[in-house]
Every structure is written in structure tokens, then in C-alpha cells.
Amino acid sequence: MVLKTFGWSFAVTALGLVAAVIYDGWTAFGIVAILCVLEISLSFDNAVVNAGILKKMNAFWQRIFLTIGILIAVFGMRLVFPVVIVAVSASLGPIEAVELAFNDKEKYEQLVTDAHASIAAFGGMFLLMIFLDFIFEDRDIKWLGWLERPLAKLGKVDMLSVCISLIVLLISAVFLAPEAHTHAGAQDKTETVLLSGVAGLITYLIVGGLSGYFENKLEESEEREHEAEEAARKSGKRVTALQVGGKAAFFMFLYLEVLDASFSFDGVIGAFAITNDIVLMAIGLGVGAMYVRSLTVYLVRQGTLDDYVYLEHGAHYAIGALATLLLVTIRFEVNELITGFIGVALIGWSFWSSLQRNKRLAAEDEKARPHSEAGV
């Protein structure tokens, strides 16, 4: 089952790591490995959401998502999108950006360094909004309760995430941008940071708005499904799990693609905190995207969702750490390995906490079972 589901991902991983070594040696191998782990970690909860929605779609739309969807996810967002980011931020044509990445690495690095302040501000604001919206939401399951409970209460204040993000952007522009580093030395990038940060904030709000629109369409289809089930019960017919097709499935497909785009976007932006090399970025994120799709298929075929409930928390705390580090890199240099390992450490911690929680619940059930049996 595992080999059948993840076989293509294993093959792509091997090819990607070999390509990284051929491209730039063992350092490139390490960077690609970190990017793979980062992408999988940040997109794990996306795979869980995908599985929960995908199992409701009929076989035709499941195939559409797992074929056309993977082309959009891997080639569109993970391979093309990083080129677009560099091309826009460095005022280059896409073809010129690719040619520089392969043929004139020194000049390419200079252009990326000059554009780093705008990339960091744009990405930092986008990632910060994802993190803030998560921690300010009141969730039934809390990982770090001492922190998440008071933050959930604060989250009842309207537009708090936007206000905090704008304050962080203003502080970054005032204290970090005036000495932003380029290949020509330190320059004042205050205006650039402000404009790019606002653009990142607007992009997040647009993506969130589209996701909300498609989510509403999804909820409408679910309501119709429940009405059909209720009608079947009243008529005495057998109630079966409905799989959505037609227009409702189309809206589900669009919703899944918007969700995937938003998660892949934070992966791409976060990757700039690991490396500026567009080739390594494309390889690492592409391999990671394959695992996200394989995990989605695995969860659907198993018929159950993963019970490591704190992994979603760990992924979002990793996003918050990346957002902070991106903004810091406007002025200061941060080692790429440190940035990557912070995310991996947070995911590992959340995974370990999930295991401990599962063991504790199992022990409590074991203790309660003799009492219930004695009562019988």
C-alpha cells in the first residue's frame, strides 16, 4: 500500500537529490533535502483537508484533481511561480531570469540580493497573516494551551491580525529597511519594504477571500447532501455516502486548487529564507509537492485522517518563525540551515507531543475499561 501510493514520490525524490548533487555538489543536496522536509511539513494539514474533501467527490473528479491538479501544483506553483517572483522583483523577463539562473549565477545572485528586501517584506507579511489568523482562532484542540487560550480570546477583536501585521510592517520599514543590504552595500529600502509588505498583505486577503467563496459553495453542496440523506431516511431507502459530481464537484475542485495555491505560496516564499537558487528551490518544492499529493491519496484510500492532532499547530508555528526570519533578513543575514532546522524542530516537537497525547488517551481508556466492565 505504501509503496504503491508513494512509489512515484520516492522515484522523484531520488532523481531530485541526484540532480542537486550534479548541479552544485553536496551542499545543494542538503538544501534540497531541507526544502523537501519544509514543503511537506508546511503542507501536511493541506493534505489532510484535501483528503477530507476529495473523498466526497466522484471518481472522475478525483482523477482530475490527482492529474491536472498535480500539474498545476508542481509545474505551476512550485516551478513557474519562483521564476515569476524573481522576475518581477528584479524587473526581469521570465526567460531572462531563467537564463541568468543557469548561465550567469553571479549576476543572478546580485539581482536577487538587490531584490531581497521586497521579497522578504512581501513574503513575511503573507506568512505572518497565515500564522496570526491561525493562533487567533479559538480551536477545540490546543497544543500550547497556556499561549493559545489567551490568544484565542484576543482573536475576537475584529481585524486584529491585519492591525498587528501592519504594525510589524511599519516597525520593519523604520528599523530594518534603512540599512538593507544589496551587492552595492547598504541602502535605504524603506519605501520598497512598505510597498512590498502591503502587496503581500493584499495578496493574502485576496487568496483568503477566494478560498472563503469556494468554501461557501462547498458548504452549500454539503447542505444539499444532508437534505438528500434525510429524505432517504424518511422514505425508508438505504442511506449511502454520496459522492459529489457535476457543478458542485467543479467548485470543490476550484476550492482545492485555491487552497493548494495558498499553501504552496507560503512554501515558495518560505523557500527564499532557505536559498536564493531558483533551481534548488524548484527541485526541493517539486519533490515536496509530490509527497503532499501522495499523502492525500493515502489518506483517501485508507478512509481515515491522521490523528497526530498537533502537527497542524507545529506547521503554523513554523510559518510564524519563517515570517519573522524573513523580515529580519531585510537587514541581517541568517544562516540558511538555521532557518530550515527551526521549522523541522517545531514540526518534530508537535509530532512528539501528538504521540504523547495519543499514549495518554490510550492509558486513560485502559484505566476506564475495567470500571465499565465491573459495572456490567
Side-chain angles (χ1 to χ4, degrees):
M1 176 64 178
V2 174
L3 185 60
K4 181 179 179 181
T5 305
F6 290 89
W8 279 106
S9 297
F10 294 153
V12 171
T13 300
L15 290 174
L17 293 174
V18 170
V21 174
I22 295 174
Y23 175 71
D24 198 23
W26 291 105
T27 300
F29 177 94
I31 292 175
V32 167
I34 290 174
L35 287 173
C36 292
V37 174
L38 178 68
E39 175 68 9
I40 296 168
S41 300
L42 294 181
S43 299
F44 182 87
D45 55 336
N46 189 26
V48 174
V49 173
N50 286 352
I53 298 172
L54 194 64
K55 67 181 181 181
K56 300 177 183 179
M57 301 167 70
N58 61 29
F60 171 78
W61 282 101
Q62 287 184 3
R63 286 195 299 270
I64 291 294
F65 178 72
L66 296 172
T67 52
I68 296 177
I70 193 65
L71 293 176
I72 296 173
V74 175
F75 294 100
M77 292 304 299
R78 272 76 171 192
L79 301 183
V80 176
F81 190 57
V83 176
V84 173
I85 290 179
V86 174
V88 171
S89 61
S91 300
L92 297 173
I95 296 177
E96 186 180 359
V98 174
E99 289 178 348
L100 282 175
F102 283 99
N103 303 323
D104 194 347
K105 294 181 182 179
E106 184 176 348
K107 184 178 180 181
Y108 176 83
E109 284 291 331
Q110 290 178 354
L111 291 172
V112 172
T113 300
D114 289 346
H116 180 74
S118 59
I119 294 173
F122 184 92
M125 285 298 102
F126 186 90
L127 295 174
L128 184 61
M129 281 296 299
I130 293 176
F131 171 66
L132 291 176
D133 277 351
F134 179 84
I135 63 172
F136 285 140
E137 183 178 345
D138 191 5
R139 300 177 179 276
D140 294 333
I141 296 177
K142 295 177 175 59
W143 179 28
L144 305 177
W146 58 271
L147 176 63
E148 295 172 9
R149 276 190 288 269
L151 289 177
K153 293 179 180 179
L154 288 175
K156 296 178 181 179
V157 179
D158 290 339
M159 304 299 289
L160 181 61
S161 297
V162 175
C163 293
I164 291 178
S165 294
L166 288 173
I167 291 172
V168 171
L169 176 60
L170 184 61
I171 292 173
S172 300
V174 172
F175 294 102
L176 298 177
E179 293 188 25
H181 296 287
T182 68
H183 73 277
Q187 294 182 5
D188 192 334
K189 294 275 188 176
T190 301
E191 183 178 350
T192 299
V193 168
L194 284 173
L195 291 175
S196 300
V198 170
L201 183 60
I202 292 173
T203 301
Y204 173 83
L205 294 175
I206 291 174
V207 171
L210 288 173
S211 297
Y213 171 77
F214 291 128
E215 189 172 7
N216 289 335
K217 292 293 183 181
L218 176 60
E219 290 174 354
E220 291 174 7
S221 68
E222 288 179 340
E223 288 178 4
R224 288 193 292 271
E225 179 182 335
H226 292 318
E227 290 173 0
E229 290 178 352
E230 190 64 27
R233 287 193 185 92
K234 290 180 180 179
S235 62
K237 296 180 181 178
R238 182 181 177 184
V239 179
T240 57
L242 299 179
Q243 288 189 313
V244 181
K247 187 181 294 184
F250 174 70
F251 279 117
M252 283 187 181
F253 174 75
L254 292 180
Y255 175 52
L256 286 173
E257 290 306 313
V258 172
L259 274 178
D260 188 73
S262 65
F263 277 90
S264 62
F265 187 80
D266 63 48
V268 171
I269 292 299
F272 277 101
I274 307 298
T275 181
N276 286 331
D277 193 312
I278 203 168
V279 176
L280 298 181
M281 192 183 302
I283 295 174
L285 295 181
V287 171
M290 288 294 297
Y291 277 100
V292 173
R293 277 301 194 277
S294 295
L295 181 59
T296 300
V297 174
Y298 180 80
L299 293 174
V300 171
R301 290 177 177 174
Q302 289 290 101
T304 183
L305 297 180
D306 198 280
D307 62 351
Y308 299 113
V309 295
Y310 298 140
L311 278 176
E312 184 180 8
H313 296 74
H316 281 83
Y317 280 109
I319 289 174
L322 281 175
T324 302
L325 290 170
L326 271 175
L327 294 174
V328 169
T329 59
I330 292 174
R331 180 172 178 178
F332 303 102
E333 292 186 7
V334 178
N335 188 279
E336 298 168 344
L337 295 178
I338 292 176
T339 305
F341 281 125
I342 287 177
V344 173
L346 287 168
I347 294 295
W349 182 17
S350 64
F351 177 74
W352 180 82
S353 297
S354 299
L355 287 176
Q356 296 301 116
R357 175 183 182 273
N358 293 342
K359 290 180 181 179
R360 184 176 67 253
L361 292 177
E364 292 174 357
D365 290 342
E366 189 67 28
K367 289 181 179 178
R369 192 171 298 132
H371 294 288
S372 61
E373 292 176 354
V376 175

